[in-house]
Amino acid sequence: MATYKSLSASLNWPSGQPPSSTTTLITGTLSAEGSILIPHFINSTFEAQTPVILLSFRHTYNHYMHIMRKMGVHTNRHDLKFVNALARGDFSQLPQATRPHFTLNEWPEFFQWLSEQPPSTVILDGVCSLLDVGYSENSVMQFIGSCQRIVEEKAQSGYAALVVNVLLDEFSESLVRSMVRRAHFLFSFEGLASGASSGVSGQLTVVPGHLFCQLQQRTFSPALLHYQVSDATVQFFSPGQSSTVL
């Protein structure tokens, strides 16, 4: 996906993917959503011809398919499995192309299903929503920790990584601090300190997480980037540079 190439180059990730067996945490706000990175990780995994498992507490499968189509990527041509964590019910009447591959009801059943999948990039979108429905911070961290352990086991036989996207606000701040301690990389989206700009949607700060020091190969460059979101693209560029130049 050409719009993300400048981001991958800035991070020194030629493939656009984080190292195998790692956890990447994405945080965003209501005005600067981190979910704009999900298409980047999905497409980078597609280009590497490895599977993707997308679990969402926020949107339906069709939502992500629509975004990817607008960016020129057809998910039905790749190995993408969608886990519905938004609603419970019978989805057998949905068209097969938009039908979830798994619905999250009981956590042990999901962990068993996940452990049976091939090595994959596992993306958790909106996991902080568990706090909104009454789960404790400790329970949410247990859920993420179980996903981490499965991904790390899978990475022994192929490429596998965990990507977690959360909304950072006053209700999730403590959870995010705990997650940073369990992450290798942290992507933080926020608005511009100087205020809104017609040519810049916000800024992205990428730094190592607490587990980064455990990596044997540290081919990674921290970065501070501005970005601009349009209807079908996201462009990243260095502060003070026009996105049209890149």
Side-chain angles (χ1 to χ4, degrees), residues 15-205:
S15 68
Q17 294 178 292
S20 185
S21 193
T22 61
T23 296
T24 298
L25 174 62
I26 307 169
T27 67
T29 66
L30 291 175
S31 60
E33 288 202 23
S35 58
I36 63 172
L37 266 189
I38 290 179
H40 165 69
F41 284 107
I42 291 177
N43 193 66
S44 296
T45 307
F46 286 168
E47 290 181 346
Q49 298 184 341
T50 54
V52 180
I53 296 173
L54 171 60
L55 183 154
S56 179
F57 294 88
R58 304 180 64 210
H59 301 293
T60 64
Y61 191 14
N62 199 50
H63 169 83
Y64 298 96
M65 294 176 65
H66 177 67
I67 292 175
M68 297 300 290
R69 280 197 301 267
K70 288 173 68 175
M71 294 186 168
V73 179
H74 297 278
T75 56
N76 58 352
R77 300 177 185 175
H78 302 277
D79 190 353
L80 169 64
K81 292 184 176 68
F82 179 76
V83 178
N84 162 51
L86 181 63
R88 300 183 181 185
D90 181 11
F91 300 96
S92 60
Q93 301 304 313
L94 292 177
Q96 187 171 2
T98 60
R99 193 182 307 163
H101 297 84
F102 190 90
T103 294
L104 180 65
N105 291 312
E106 301 298 327
W107 290 5
E109 294 178 0
F110 168 68
F111 296 141
Q112 178 62 35
W113 177 85
L114 186 61
S115 65
E116 295 170 353
Q117 304 307 306
S120 308
T121 297
V122 179
I123 302 173
L124 310 180
D125 187 16
V127 69
C128 55
S129 297
L130 289 171
L131 297 175
D132 300 332
V133 294
Y135 285 92
S136 66
E137 177 184 326
N138 185 56
S139 295
V140 178
M141 288 304 301
Q142 288 179 355
F143 180 86
I144 296 171
S146 296
C147 292
Q148 277 186 303
R149 286 189 290 274
I150 294 172
V151 166
E152 290 169 359
E153 291 172 0
K154 291 295 179 180
Q156 298 177 15
S157 57
Y159 180 86
L162 180 65
V163 178
V164 184
N165 177 51
V166 298
L167 173 68
L168 175 59
D169 58 17
E170 63 270 26
F171 303 107
S172 63
E173 185 176 358
S174 178
L175 173 65
V176 170
R177 284 199 299 267
S178 297
M179 294 173 66
V180 170
R181 290 192 285 269
R182 299 285 296 272
H184 298 83
F185 306 98
L186 172 62
F187 289 67
S188 298
F189 285 86
E190 57 187 345
L192 293 176
S194 59
S197 170
S198 59
V200 182
S201 301
Q203 70 180 26
L204 167 64
T205 304

